[in-house]
């Protein structure tokens, strides 16, 4: 477990079905969370401690966050409260976006929650292999990609979420296990920069 003061807590947050649990499983190299196309499969915030590059990390997989008025008085309402609580006790918000769907209002709301809580933040654009079928990953890293698509997506995100202009974007495929290490490396740097 290690000393809690040395741990960096990463809250994996996002709308339902953007690939949060798939990302957690890809990071851990095992199926720790259930992955399903059915929204609401993840119901609680689950902490998983591990070490990465001599750094103690705690990953918190959370339930998908939807608009409050859609879920008032439901089980999902309490799932979202737990996700918010996980965010409040994290150092870094790992905001997962479905690259295929683009930047939706729900993504902006989730990113806004991270910002309002004063957390370091990284934006993980998942399913990028479906957006850019010609992308080539070697040794877990993106080697060949359509930079025009990456630039266009990045600029659109910066335009629509100017309050997170500081947040780095990482383009991945959790399903294919591509660029997963980049998520952790970027999150650690974000936490360190935020602490100074």
């Amino acid at each position: 477990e290690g000393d809690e003061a040395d741990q960096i807590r990463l809250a994996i947050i996002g709308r339902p079905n953007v690939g949060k649990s798939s990302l957690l499983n890809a990071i851990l190299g095992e199926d720790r969370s259930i992955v399903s196309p059915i929204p609401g499969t993840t119901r609680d915030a689950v902490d998983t401690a591990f070490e990465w590059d001599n750094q103690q990390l705690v990953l918190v997989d959370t339930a998908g966050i939807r608009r409050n008025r859609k879920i008032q008085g439901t089980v999902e309402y309490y799932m979202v409260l737990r996700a918010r609580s996980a965010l409040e006790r994290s150092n870094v918000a790992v905001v997962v976006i479905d690259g295929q769907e683009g930047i939706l209002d729900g993504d902006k709301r989730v990113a806004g929650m991270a910002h309002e809580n004063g957390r370091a933040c990284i934006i993980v654009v998942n399913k990028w292999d479906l957006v850019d079928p010609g992308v080539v990953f070697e040794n877990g890293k993106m080697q060949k990609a359509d930079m025009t698509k990456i630039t266009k997506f990045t600029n659109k995100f910066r335009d629509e979420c100017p309050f997170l202009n500081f947040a780095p974007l990482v383009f991945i495929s959790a399903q294919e296990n591509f660029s997963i290490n980049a998520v952790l490396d970027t999150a650690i740097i974000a936490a360190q920069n935020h602490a100074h």
Side-chain angles (χ1 to χ4, degrees):
E1 282 277 320
D3 184 2
E4 278 195 26
D6 296 332
Q7 292 179 338
I8 297 175
R9 298 182 64 84
L10 312 177
I12 303 173
I13 63 173
R15 292 183 299 104
N17 284 52
V18 293
K20 297 179 299 299
S21 294
S22 295
L23 174 59
L24 177 95
N25 290 341
I27 289 171
L28 298 176
E30 60 182 280
D31 291 342
R32 188 68 68 96
S33 290
I34 296 169
V35 176
S36 167
I38 302 165
T41 304
T42 302
R43 293 206 160 189
D44 209 347
V46 180
D47 292 18
T48 307
F50 71 108
E51 187 174 311
W52 172 257
D53 199 23
N54 295 320
Q55 174 65 58
Q56 295 294 321
L57 299 175
V58 177
L59 285 176
V60 186
D61 186 20
T62 65
I65 299 172
R66 290 201 302 171
R67 186 175 291 163
N68 273 346
R69 72 170 183 233
K70 286 187 176 178
I71 60 170
Q72 205 74 31
T74 66
V75 171
E76 192 176 354
Y77 174 75
Y78 296 99
M79 292 160 41
V80 170
L81 285 182
R82 288 190 191 112
R84 287 178 186 266
S85 171
L87 176 61
E88 288 167 4
R89 53 192 180 88
S90 71
N91 303 101
V92 181
V94 178
V95 180
V96 183
I97 295 175
D98 183 329
Q100 258 195 313
E101 293 183 347
I103 303 153
L104 304 181
D105 287 345
D107 298 315
K108 295 176 202 174
R109 257 191 315 281
V110 171
M113 283 173 49
H115 178 67
E116 288 161 16
N117 277 284
R119 299 295 170 251
C121 191
I122 69 170
I123 310 303
V124 174
V125 185
N126 192 22
K127 307 180 187 179
W128 197 250
D129 55 319
L130 302 177
V131 176
D132 179 4
V135 68
V136 175
F137 292 90
E138 289 175 12
N139 301 321
K141 293 184 179 175
M142 191 184 300
Q143 301 294 337
K144 180 183 167 195
D146 185 337
M147 293 311 293
T148 306
K149 288 183 179 180
I150 288 175
T151 301
K152 189 175 177 181
F153 193 100
T154 301
N155 290 341
K156 184 170 171 51
F157 181 83
R158 299 284 184 231
D159 288 346
E160 297 192 19
C161 299
F163 54 91
L164 283 179
N165 267 340
F166 63 90
L169 277 73
V170 183
F171 295 82
I172 73 159
S173 171
Q175 186 74 34
E176 300 298 330
N177 210 17
F178 295 147
S179 291
I180 302 306
N181 293 357
V183 173
L184 296 174
D185 292 339
T186 306
I188 291 168
I189 292 167
Q192 291 166 346
N193 290 344
H194 191 71
H196 296 307

